Amino acid sequence: MISQEFAFFAPKTVADAVSLLGEHAEDGKALAGGMSLVPAMNLGVARPTTIVSLNHIPELDYVEEEPSSVRIGAMVRHARVERDPVIGRYFPLLRTAASVIGDVQVRNRGTIGGSIAHADPAADYLPVMVALNATFRVVGSDGERTIPARDFFRGVMETALAPGELLVEIELPKLPDGAGSAYLRLARLEGSFPIANAAAVIAGPQPVIAVGGATAAPVLVDVPVELDSGTQDALDQVEAAAREACAAAFADLSATAEYRRAMAGVYARRAVEAARAART
Amino acid sequence: MPGVLCVVTGGEIREETNPIPPTYDPTAVGLKTAEWYALCVDRARYVGEAVAAVVAEDKFTAYAALDLIGVDYEELPVVADPEEAMKPGAPLVEPGWGDNIMFSRDIVLGDPDAAFAEADGTVSGFVRSARITGTAIEPRGCVAAYDPYTGMLTFWDSTQNPHPLRNYLAETLGVPETSIRVIQPNVGGGFGLKIPTFQEEPLVAYLARKLGRPVKWIEERSENFVTGGHARDTRFYYEAAYKNDGTVTGIRLNVIADVGAPSALCGWGMSFVTWYCLPCVYKIPNSETHLRSVVTNKCPWNAYRGYGKDAASFLMDRIMDHIARETGLDRAEVRFKNFIQPDEFPYPQVSGAMLDSGNYPEALRTVLSMIDYEGFPKLQEEARREGRYLGLGIGQELIPEGCSMPGSLLLNGCDGTAVRVSPTGQVTVLTGVTSPGSGNETGIAQIVADALGCTLDKVRVVQGDTEMCPWGFGNYSARSIIIGGSAAHLAAVEVREKMLRVAANMLEAAPEDLEAVEGRIFVRGTPDRAVSFEEVAAEVYRNPHGPNMEGIEPALEAERYFKIGNVYHQPEKQGRFSAYPSWPNGVAACIVEVDPETGKVEILRYCMVHDAGMIVNPLLAEANLHGGIAQGIGAALYEQIAYDDFAQPLTATFMDYTIPTAVEVPSLELGHQETPTPFTPLGTKGVGESGVGAPLGALCSAIENALPHLDLRLTELPLTPSRVWSAIQQAREKAVVG
């Protein structure tokens, strides 16, 4: 039950949205799919006095293929990420991640930009963005800038976005032909937030691995080995490196910190194995 | 604030209303009670207990006004852990009590010390079931409307028990119960949690009378998690003595239940019932059982499907598995060795329970055959070669029904039903039992149609209205069919007897030569000599002075009350009495796959044989079992209401309170066994809570069995992946050290 009054704006352009968010930088909140903000308001955890809805801005809803990248508008819903042929062709792990978010209703409403900007540590997209080396285009009253995903996530629901800034686009460099990738998650229930998740991309000799869910923000796993050999030793090193990267794992009702750290390792290794198997 | 009609606090409530009466006569069971008003007075005893209420023109305004209320709390010492709470000098939840123990029971049977001294071996251990709650799809809610001209208060409530609620409201408001009409509309799930009386019910009734306008209250899910009532949070310390052949010769059991803050809710009784069921389906000649129901600063317990029976079965499963492990005997063998045998009923259990009937060995044999117990080791070995870890587990349950507590206007063992056949042969059944959405009205209609010999489509069942239905205790303890259905049977038989007399006159035959089947009454052996059900009804009403009605009382209406047998309320010298007339039981066998790297468990197969006596409607009985098993799986693997060390609740949404979905619950394989009870006219035993107990022991057993190379000890529910993984790590460390 939302018990406080708030002003509601539904601008039709990014420029208007940014201008409104600039005016209400202190107490305003951008509303995308509302799958996190609205429950938080219902529980009284979030109490914004101004809501700027992005749901009537057509220019934020697109998937565009470029020669070496794919650009995704921030308001593209999870259901479209799950089914879009361009995304599916170049980033099968992103399709997998979108397909396991919440339930059908959540996927029909929730957006890729909303999830990334909200930056829940357990969100499915986060390690995928880090592993794919995504770039986020953000617009504020001072103009536009890009932020690499690897610099974007700062902590629990903390990002590099300045007050009043709006995430408008996700740009992903295409994976080369023959690359393998995978996204895996460990969750207590189908549809619940993961305890740990991992994304792996094998495009060259060095695998790229990111793990999420275990720490306040997703981490890129530093892997000092070539894994083409696929040896048990190399996989063990991946597991150890991911555990190391999640030294600051947190505990909650679902899992102890020790467990999260261990699962970061297990899921990093399994993601690498799955990415290897997915190579063509 | 514009739109706000009134604000009340505990002071006004204490002035204007009475405390909510306790569930049972506290002196009959030796229970400590505390005054519990519709709003808390002076001291809030748990987070979530209402201290003020706002009535406004709309919900938005009411919640906005609530935000403006500031409460200055003086912080008192917190009682968060039941075992700490039992220590001398612990802070008191109720200062007047002297300690934090609300209720206790201690019973000795035989000579446990001698049994332990003479045993071939003993085991001891600890297990714990988690604090959980039922999560009905519809939370609580009620509407009260007061008519100042007639003085009648109409109260629509998502309740299971309209008549008792009416009495509780009347007593709380200080008005005669005849000035209140309680109506139960269709209820979106109860699971025991809507057994009255919550603080909000008399509160809303009071406010409607005070304001002279209708008042509505609909609960939010996040409110329900912290105030709707909790269950199960029980710790068990056990010791068992056994012979080398697996015979259990003695047990010592300590049951410690964290029942939360004292209240007038009936939930604390679950701890009594846990103790009362022990040692469940087993014959153990020497025992010592202790119960301590301890109050803490948490949400009070409230009834939840299983009502503590589940926890007793879980404990006994863990003990049987433990003995199997120590003796090297098969887990099923240990159970077979200790079962009460089918020819030993009625069987008096140590607590005073009188088990009516059952065939536990046959049910276990059936379920073992369903799951191919003999073939499992081969399956397990094959999976192991593929790097997969499969385990099989067995869980017994004993789920007594028809609860009847001495001196209780809420839980007792009788109910009324009226059967009325109209002049055109339509049948109306008015019954004091209600349905929380489980479909028992269909079962009652079947019982009536069968007894009357009419077709099912003629029968309409009316429930849940105190102005229309006979006085009844409503729905709890799977009593709607066994008690309301039995009353319906008696009333319908009475109407049929009259109809047969009239039909006999119409057919010029003797009543005892007639049969009534599917709307036709005919002479046995000559089916052409027949009248229809409608013709007989018409004759009764149209020609009361005619020759066919000579010496017969007019109309076709009967109202009968059924009082179930096998209940003994006169306590004997150890204070024991028999509260449950009927003892349905069941046994489950399941196969799980465990990922030893993550501790994640997947249920591959789940088989259950249940015995609830005569089944009236197999489809509805199975549907009940599906729900019960899903809730049992939830309690075993997924669900927990958590508090921190300062009794602050941590679980307020379904994000944290994870209930299993269609993805987690496997396709269920059910087998029926029917051992009728001698204590109901149709042999029905009640099926409403069946299925909920066996998953706890069965899943623990299966997970341990999946990793036979480790000495895995699972002690705490729910078995989350994190907990299973931790148990695996501990077992590995122990193996290395050992």
Side-chain angles (χ1 to χ4, degrees):
Chain A
M1 179 73 199
I2 297 171
S3 60
Q4 98 279 3
E5 289 193 21
F6 54 85
F8 183 85
F9 297 97
K12 297 205 163 46
T13 65
V14 168
D16 285 352
V18 167
S19 142
L20 283 162
L21 286 168
E23 274 171 49
H24 301 279
E26 294 276 298
D27 57 351
K29 199 83 186 141
L31 173 75
M35 295 296 94
S36 299
L37 179 58
V38 174
M41 289 174 73
N42 273 326
L43 290 170
V45 176
R47 291 171 169 259
T49 54
T50 301
I51 297 282
V52 179
S53 168
L54 310 177
N55 288 280
H56 303 274
I57 305 179
E59 62 182 295
L60 287 178
D61 186 12
Y62 58 86
V63 176
E64 292 288 349
E65 182 175 354
E66 304 292 343
S68 62
S69 71
V70 173
R71 294 185 296 111
I72 304 171
M75 284 299 288
V76 170
R77 316 258 171 200
H78 308 318
R80 179 166 173 195
V81 176
E82 188 183 346
R83 294 186 192 114
D84 187 275
V86 174
I87 290 173
R89 179 170 165 207
Y90 293 108
F91 316 107
L93 79 170
L94 179 56
R95 178 180 59 197
T96 308
S99 73
V100 294
I101 297 171
D103 51 31
V104 172
Q105 292 91 327
V106 168
R107 295 197 288 275
N108 281 338
R109 284 297 307 169
T111 66
I112 185 167
S115 175
I116 289 168
H118 182 59
D120 188 302
D124 290 284
Y125 286 132
L126 272 46
V128 175
M129 292 297 127
V130 171
L132 287 174
N133 201 12
T135 305
F136 302 142
R137 188 157 65 85
V138 305
V139 182
S141 33
D142 297 338
E144 187 179 309
R145 62 178 179 134
T146 57
I147 310 172
R150 291 171 188 180
D151 297 333
F152 184 79
F153 302 105
R154 298 279 168 86
V156 177
M157 295 174 196
E158 276 177 28
T159 67
L161 282 173
E165 258 184 340
L166 185 68
L167 169 63
V168 294
E169 184 185 274
I170 295 101
E171 185 167 15
L172 301 167
K174 284 181 183 169
L175 295 180
D177 286 345
S181 72
Y183 170 73
L184 297 173
R185 80 204 293 261
L186 170 69
R188 286 183 63 186
L189 294 174
E190 181 83 5
S192 64
F193 272 115
I195 292 168
N197 55 6
V201 174
I202 302 181
Q206 194 87 347
V208 181
I209 307 152
V211 293
T215 52
V219 291
L220 192 62
V221 179
D222 189 18
V223 204
V225 285
E226 291 196 7
L227 278 154
D228 248 12
S229 58
T231 62
Q232 188 56 44
D233 181 52
L235 292 170
D236 288 347
Q237 286 190 50
V238 166
E239 186 168 343
R243 272 204 307 263
E244 182 66 25
C246 293
F250 65 91
D252 66 4
L253 296 179
S254 291
T256 62
E258 193 190 6
Y259 180 67
R260 275 212 161 73
R261 201 174 304 125
M263 291 310 104
V266 169
Y267 273 72
R269 170 167 54 70
R270 288 184 180 183
V272 168
E273 287 177 290
R276 276 179 50 80
R279 281 187 305 186
T280 51
Chain B
M1 186 167 168
V4 172
L5 298 169
C6 96
V7 179
V8 290
T9 59
E12 176 179 339
I13 292 298
R14 180 169 52 186
E15 290 290 306
E16 302 293 332
T17 70
N18 298 313
I20 300 169
T23 308
Y24 336 137
D25 177 4
T27 57
V29 289
L31 172 75
K32 284 184 203 151
T33 57
E35 274 197 347
W36 203 48
Y37 283 93
L39 282 173
C40 76
V41 177
D42 297 336
R43 275 180 323 121
R45 288 168 296 181
Y46 65 97
V47 175
E49 187 168 23
V51 298
V54 172
V55 186
E57 297 276 0
D58 59 71
K59 195 174 174 183
F60 177 85
T61 309
Y63 273 80
L66 279 182
D67 281 350
L68 299 178
I69 296 176
V71 184
D72 288 326
Y73 289 103
E74 177 198 340
E75 227 175 281
L76 298 173
V78 174
V79 181
D81 180 275
E83 288 181 83
E84 291 297 320
M86 287 166 66
K87 291 181 180 162
L92 297 179
V93 175
E94 284 303 321
W97 283 11
D99 61 27
N100 287 312
I101 296 166
M102 179 192 235
F103 182 73
S104 52
R105 274 285 186 273
D106 302 276
I107 289 247
V108 177
L109 175 77
D111 188 346
D113 292 343
F116 277 82
E118 291 158 14
D120 291 339
T122 63
V123 291
S124 66
F126 167 79
V127 290
R128 181 176 177 183
S129 57
R131 198 174 197 87
I132 58 171
T133 185
T135 47
I137 199 164
E138 174 198 47
R140 296 175 293 154
C142 55
V143 177
Y146 181 62
D147 181 342
Y149 300 103
T150 61
M152 277 298 285
L153 180 82
T154 306
F155 198 80
W156 292 264
D157 194 8
S158 185
T159 181
Q160 295 173 235
N161 316 73
H163 277 100
L165 175 62
R166 182 172 69 153
N167 278 78
Y168 278 78
L169 291 177
E171 199 159 328
T172 312
L173 299 175
V175 301
E177 71 255 39
T178 45
S179 68
I180 300 173
R181 175 183 190 178
V182 175
I183 298 173
Q184 174 219 48
N186 287 335
V187 168
F191 309 118
L193 288 147
K194 290 174 183 167
I195 297 174
T197 300
F198 290 96
Q199 289 169 302
E200 291 85 353
E201 287 164 329
L203 179 64
V204 170
Y206 167 75
L207 289 167
R209 283 173 60 93
K210 174 186 164 117
L211 293 168
R213 11 190 327 189
V215 175
K216 174 165 89 171
W217 172 69
I218 304 292
E219 184 181 48
E220 302 259 306
R221 178 67 60 188
S222 52
E223 294 167 343
N224 185 262
F225 274 118
V226 295
T227 65
H230 298 159
R232 298 271 176 98
D233 191 350
T234 307
R235 302 172 191 193
F236 300 96
Y237 294 89
Y238 65 84
E239 291 175 70
Y242 57 86
K243 295 289 180 193
N244 283 334
D245 67 355
T247 307
V248 184
T249 51
I251 44 171
R252 293 193 186 111
L253 307 175
N254 265 310
V255 183
I256 299 167
D258 178 352
V259 300
S263 73
L265 297 171
C266 62
W268 71 271
M270 292 185 285
S271 60
F272 167 71
V273 172
T274 297
W275 170 87
Y276 183 77
C277 288
L278 293 168
C280 300
V281 293
Y282 306 106
K283 259 188 308 190
I284 301 178
N286 305 290
S287 69
E288 191 185 322
T289 58
H290 306 284
L291 165 69
R292 296 291 176 270
S293 305
V294 183
V295 291
T296 57
N297 292 117
K298 298 177 191 165
C299 174
W301 274 18
N302 192 14
Y304 175 40
R305 191 183 209 164
Y307 205 68
K309 307 151 194 173
D310 37 77
S313 292
F314 171 55
L315 171 64
M316 293 315 298
D317 270 330
R318 295 280 68 202
I319 293 174
M320 292 298 150
D321 276 14
H322 199 165
I323 290 169
R325 185 203 302 258
E326 293 301 320
T327 54
L329 294 169
D330 179 82
R331 288 169 292 169
E333 199 48 49
V334 174
R335 287 169 169 81
F336 281 124
K337 199 87 203 166
N338 291 287
F339 278 142
I340 298 162
Q341 294 301 310
D343 59 359
E344 292 175 310
F345 293 97
Y347 185 86
Q349 206 46 293
V350 51
S351 62
M354 189 63 78
L355 278 54
D356 63 330
S357 63
N359 190 339
Y360 312 136
E362 181 62 24
L364 179 54
R365 274 193 291 275
T366 309
V367 85
L368 293 180
S369 132
M370 282 167 73
I371 205 143
D372 188 16
Y373 193 66
E374 298 293 317
F376 180 71
K378 187 161 168 277
L379 186 73
Q380 189 178 34
E381 181 51 37
E382 282 166 10
R384 185 66 198 83
R385 279 200 292 272
E386 297 164 15
R388 300 168 61 216
Y389 293 83
L390 304 191
L392 187 151
I394 302 167
Q396 288 283 154
E397 67 177 34
L398 184 63
I399 307 280
E401 301 295 18
C403 178
S404 316
M405 290 299 283
S408 177
L409 207 52
L410 183 58
L411 310 173
N412 237 315
C414 59
D415 225 294
T417 302
V419 172
R420 298 175 179 170
V421 178
S422 78
T424 61
Q426 302 294 322
V427 184
T428 305
V429 181
L430 302 150
T431 175
V433 295
T434 62
S435 169
S438 59
N440 64 54
E441 61 273 37
T442 305
I444 291 169
Q446 285 177 265
I447 289 171
V448 169
D450 255 18
L452 286 176
C454 69
T455 53
L456 186 59
D457 61 317
K458 296 271 186 227
V459 185
R460 186 168 76 95
V461 177
V462 179
Q463 298 176 305
D465 185 335
T466 56
E467 288 293 283
M468 294 169 74
C469 300
W471 208 96
F473 288 94
N475 171 263
Y476 63 85
S477 199
R479 66 193 299 285
S480 292
I481 291 292
I482 57 175
I483 299 184
S486 295
H489 174 79
L490 297 179
V493 165
E494 190 175 312
V495 172
R496 181 182 63 176
E497 278 166 9
K498 189 190 280 185
M499 291 183 80
L500 290 185
R501 283 173 67 195
V502 177
N505 290 341
M506 292 166 78
L507 293 168
E508 295 178 353
E512 54 275 20
D513 292 336
L514 298 185
E515 275 187 57
V517 179
E518 293 279 308
R520 284 180 79 253
I521 299 170
F522 55 91
V523 180
R524 195 175 296 110
T526 32
D528 292 347
R529 277 182 69 196
V531 283
S532 71
F533 189 77
E534 292 83 353
E535 285 167 331
V536 178
E539 184 66 13
V540 169
Y541 286 96
R542 285 174 189 275
N543 295 308
H545 293 281
N548 294 330
M549 285 289 287
E550 190 74 43
I552 297 173
E553 190 183 339
L556 293 170
E557 299 197 355
E559 182 168 318
R560 290 292 300 272
Y561 282 77
F562 177 70
K563 180 166 83 171
I564 198 159
N566 202 29
V567 171
Y568 308 100
H569 277 175
Q570 298 72 25
E572 47 79 277
K573 65 179 181 197
Q574 287 200 77
R576 299 183 293 187
F577 58 92
S578 158
Y580 281 92
S582 158
W583 293 78
N585 55 85
V587 56
C590 65
I591 296 175
V592 302
E593 179 167 353
V594 180
D595 180 343
E597 272 192 345
T598 64
K600 200 156 176 162
V601 174
E602 186 187 353
I603 306 171
L604 303 181
R605 284 186 70 195
Y606 192 98
C607 301
M608 183 184 183
V609 172
H610 80 109
D611 189 341
M614 181 69 79
I615 293 298
V616 172
N617 186 315
L619 184 71
L620 288 168
E622 290 204 356
N624 254 301
L625 284 159
H626 284 194
I629 293 167
Q631 286 178 319
I633 290 171
L637 300 184
Y638 300 105
E639 300 177 26
Q640 180 168 21
I641 295 279
Y643 280 86
D644 71 9
D645 294 342
F646 304 96
Q648 291 290 324
L650 303 174
T651 318
T653 71
F654 278 124
M655 198 170 83
D656 298 319
Y657 194 79
T658 44
I659 60 170
T661 71
V663 177
E664 286 80 26
V665 178
S667 176
L668 303 169
E669 302 165 53
L670 300 177
H672 301 286
Q673 177 177 301
E674 293 193 352
T675 311
T677 178
F679 298 106
T680 59
L682 300 173
T684 52
K685 283 183 170 173
V687 73
E689 298 178 280
S690 297
V692 80
L696 312 174
L699 286 163
C700 282
S701 186
I703 295 167
E704 289 176 352
N705 181 249
L707 304 168
H709 55 295
L710 295 173
D711 187 24
L712 196 60
R713 303 292 175 105
L714 301 172
T715 55
E716 272 197 49
L717 303 179
L719 297 164
T720 61
S722 182
R723 281 197 178 142
V724 173
W725 181 84
S726 296
I728 291 169
Q729 306 312 309
Q730 279 164 16
R732 281 193 175 134
E733 280 162 26
K734 207 164 55 181
V736 171
V737 174

